[in-house]
Amino acid sequence: MDADSLMRAVAEDESKMVNSLVAMLRVRAVGPENEGQGEAERGIFLVNLVKKLGLKTIEVLESNDSNVPTGKRPNIIVRLKGRTSRNIWVVTHMDTVPEGDLSAWKYPPYEPKVVSGKIYGRGAEDNGQELMASLYGLKALLSNGITPECSANLLFVSDEEHGNTHGIDFVLAQKIFKKGDLVVVPDHGEPDGGTICVVEKSIAWLKVDVIGRQTHASTPDSGINALEVAARFMTDTVDTLRKKYSAKDRLFVPPTSTFVATKSDPNVPNINTVPGRQTFYFDFRVLPNYDLDVIMASIEAIAKRWEKKTHAKIKVSFMQRADAAPRTPENSEIVKRLARAIRTVRGVKPKTEGIGGGTCAAPFRRMGIEAAVWATIPGTAHDANEYANVADMVADAQVYAILFAGNSLGNP
Ligand SMILES: [Zn+2]
């Protein structure tokens, strides 16, 4: 079979793919931290679907979690054996964020509607579309009698939206991946499907506690105004860091590190009191060539200076820290193979980029496994009225089919 016939075979499954996604989205899969019951029911749905599609090698790895009714968080592996000993993986997640404010939805989030080529529902884009696309891409090989070049594996994980403990981190600890495996994580992308992400920035979420001394607003000198100290320390910190760590990397948008003050906790309830305590937060996204410890040392030095000047106490601590993983080289095997498959389906040469947020690809890269992040998505993840474009799902399924088939495809 040649690439065109395989792509046609995938396209013929369009309505099945749509129906499968709609049916899956009806089964809520929200983690216990967001008042959900986990992914167990959606996992059962998927195992049944995979069997119905004729794929026979299925494995369910369950992580124990006493916070969900079943006590288990499932992770599902589907395999189709290839001609070589090499493995390709497509890793997607089953869980979703909660639906949020119901009144903001045009259609109920768990009763998905297909309207002018769009499937509306919680989890349609994130990450249902790519889960179904990878599944139907694999199924197309099976039903057309194509043995993939590398063994083709799908992994549907739990717990992506909250910490990965019962999901990708749990699966990685089972040592089922090995060096030389090729991994695609389709959980970030652009509407045109033309961008492959190979590196992320480091992330630091910092909490700043400023402790002064509360007093009446008419006698400010008898207290220490924590809000004013916080404001001066805050602007000094972002100004200093932006100047000091100003390197650019063309792979990223924006190309620089970002140092941003974000949230502030309430201080005093009334206007005529000088606050004795102020807590606020920074969100930093840092280019991988900078060390977060070095940046933290700069912040501590700035804090010391303001403590001396104002006699307030300034405590800075990490709320979240994710050091950037090594990048997947732009000329690595997975990037080359994925780019070739995208070019075959879409006729465009994809570009590589870096992103500001963490992805499931980072833990793979830390283990020395090449992982690329790519998908064709509209950018509605976590929003009300989240949707997936049917055409994107079909085209991405074609990309996976071509990627899995590798050199098993003949010429027309
Ligand atoms: Zn996601």
Side-chain angles (χ1 to χ4, degrees), residues 93 126-127 160-161 187:
H93 63 90
D126 183 19
N127 198 204
E160 194 275 341
E161 300 292 0
D187 199 19

Side-chain angles (χ1 to χ4, degrees), residues 254-318:
T256 54
S257 302
T258 54
F259 301 101
V260 182
T262 54
K263 173 176 152 164
S264 167
D265 286 350
N267 48 28
V268 286
N270 50 310
I271 296 173
N272 56 350
T273 294
V274 168
R277 198 183 175 109
Q278 182 69 45
T279 302
F280 72 95
Y281 304 83
F282 288 122
D283 178 323
F284 296 166
R285 311 290 167 117
V286 180
L287 289 181
N289 53 313
Y290 291 128
D291 184 339
L292 289 183
D293 287 327
V294 173
I295 288 173
M296 195 58 168
S298 297
I299 300 169
E300 300 283 8
I302 300 166
K304 280 248 156 57
R305 223 170 42 236
W306 283 104
E307 282 185 336
K308 238 182 163 168
K309 221 181 257 184
T310 63
H311 305 293
K313 280 260 153 300
I314 303 176
K315 273 197 324 208
V316 184
S317 53
F318 280 104

Side-chain angles (χ1 to χ4, degrees), residues 31 55 102 109 116 180 188 209 214 221 226 262 269 339 378 384 388:
L55 290 152
L102 276 177
S116 22
H188 175 84
D209 281 308
Q214 183 170 318
D221 288 346
T262 54

Side-chain angles (χ1 to χ4, degrees), residues 204-279:
W205 289 357
L206 299 175
K207 180 182 188 186
V208 181
D209 281 308
V210 178
I211 297 131
R213 195 169 54 242
Q214 183 170 318
T215 189
H216 195 281
S218 65
T219 56
D221 288 346
S222 58
I224 300 172
N225 191 326
L227 175 60
E228 288 189 8
V229 176
R232 296 164 86 182
F233 169 68
M234 180 197 295
T235 51
D236 190 8
T237 300
V238 293
D239 288 348
T240 305
L241 297 182
R242 284 169 194 163
K243 240 181 250 139
K244 197 164 175 182
Y245 304 99
S246 60
K248 288 186 181 168
D249 184 333
R250 58 157 192 93
L251 274 185
F252 291 92
V253 184
T256 54
S257 302
T258 54
F259 301 101
V260 182
T262 54
K263 173 176 152 164
S264 167
D265 286 350
N267 48 28
V268 286
N270 50 310
I271 296 173
N272 56 350
T273 294
V274 168
R277 198 183 175 109
Q278 182 69 45
T279 302

